[in-house]
Amino acid sequence: MSHITLIRHGQANTGARDEASYDRLSDLGHQQAAWLGDHLRSTGSHHPRVYCGTLRRHIETAASMGFADPAQDARLNEMEYFTLAEAMRDQHGLPIPKEREGFVDHLPKVFAAWAKDEITDPYESWASFETRTQACLEEIAAGDGPAMVVTSGGLISMALRQAMGLDSAAMARVTLAIMNTSMHRLFPIGGHLSPVLFNAVPHLEAPDRHFAQTHL
C-alpha cells in the first residue's frame, strides 16, 4: 500500500446556497492553491500520482497548484450538502443557515439524519457515499508510489471516519474544522490506512498569510 495525501480544494464561492453556484474557486482559492503548489515544489514533495474529483473546484485547485492533468474520478466528488439541506428543510422543517455560525449546529443534524436514512429519497445514500469513498481510496492506495488527491472536506472527513471509527457527530466536527487547501495524510499501518497528518497548512503559516486560513 502507498500513502495518500488528501487536499481540500481552495476557497470556493462562499456566497452560494446551491451546488452549481458554489462550484468555482474564488480569487483567494486560486491563490491558496498556488501557494500550496509552490510549497510542495520547494520542499521536494514526491507524489508521482495525482488525482482529483470531477468538480470544477477540484480541477481548478489542481491546476492552480501546477497539476494541469490529474486523473479525474467522480468517486472523489463531494457530497451535495446544499441538496441535503434543502431536503432537511422540506421534510423536517430544519432551516438552512444564512451565516457560518449556523452551520456549526446544522451540519451535525444533517449528517445524523442522513446516516439514519431519515431523509426520504436523498440524491445519494449515506451508505453509497461511504462505499465510494472507501473503494476509491483503497484502489489509489494499492497503486505504486505516494498519491496526492484533491477533493473536498466532506470526503476527507468520511475517510477519517473510516480510518478512526468516528460516529456521524464526530465526523461533522472534523468536517467543520477542515481548512481550504489543507493537507491530510493516510499512511498504511498494519494493512490499514491510518491518519498521520491532519489539517496542515504550512503554506499559510506566515503572518501575512493568516487571513488565508479559511474554512468557507
Side-chain angles (χ1 to χ4, degrees):
M1 296 177 73
S2 300
H3 77 251
I4 300 172
T5 300
L6 299 165
I7 295 172
R8 186 189 176 196
H9 60 79
Q11 184 190 64
N13 178 20
T14 58
R17 290 295 178 269
D18 61 76
E19 301 296 334
S21 299
Y22 181 71
D23 194 27
R24 66 176 186 272
L25 293 192
S26 66
D27 290 342
L28 177 58
H30 283 287
Q31 181 63 76
Q32 291 165 328
W35 280 332
L36 177 55
D38 290 344
H39 169 78
L40 294 173
R41 286 184 288 273
S42 69
T43 57
S45 176
H46 177 62
H47 292 89
R49 298 181 296 137
V50 180
Y51 300 82
C52 73
T54 60
L55 296 176
R56 176 177 173 179
R57 58 189 182 273
H58 299 160
I59 297 167
E60 289 182 345
T61 297
S64 289
M65 288 173 64
F67 301 106
D69 191 27
Q72 297 180 28
D73 192 323
R75 293 176 298 175
L76 294 169
N77 287 352
E78 179 65 301
M79 59 182 181
E80 294 188 10
Y81 184 72
F82 291 115
T83 302
L84 292 169
E86 290 172 356
M88 285 294 290
R89 178 197 62 202
D90 297 342
Q91 298 177 25
H92 298 282
L94 182 67
I96 300 175
K98 296 182 179 179
E99 71 292 324
R100 181 184 183 278
E101 292 71 19
F103 285 99
V104 174
D105 292 325
H106 187 265
L107 190 140
K109 294 175 182 177
V110 173
F111 275 15
W114 190 25
K116 295 176 182 176
D117 292 325
E118 294 176 351
I119 300 176
T120 303
D121 296 326
Y123 79 99
E124 176 183 33
S125 69
W126 173 274
S128 174
F129 182 44
E130 197 166 29
T131 299
R132 68 173 166 92
T133 299
Q134 183 173 11
C136 190
L137 294 182
E138 285 181 349
E139 287 180 22
I140 292 172
D144 295 328
M148 181 178 299
V149 173
V150 178
T151 180
S152 293
L155 187 134
I156 294 170
S157 65
M158 176 58 83
L160 293 173
R161 161 187 158 81
Q162 294 169 347
M164 302 179 69
L166 303 178
D167 62 17
S168 67
M171 178 180 157
R173 290 195 295 273
V174 168
T175 305
L176 290 165
I178 294 175
M179 289 186 281
N180 295 113
T181 63
S182 55
M183 295 185 288
H184 313 256
R185 184 162 297 145
L186 298 173
F187 198 88
I189 300 174
H192 300 280
L193 290 173
S194 298
V196 295
L197 184 72
F198 174 73
N199 224 19
V201 286
H203 56 299
L204 304 177
E205 294 291 5
D208 63 345
R209 295 185 184 177
H210 283 181
F211 75 95
Q213 294 182 7
T214 58
H215 294 85
L216 291 176

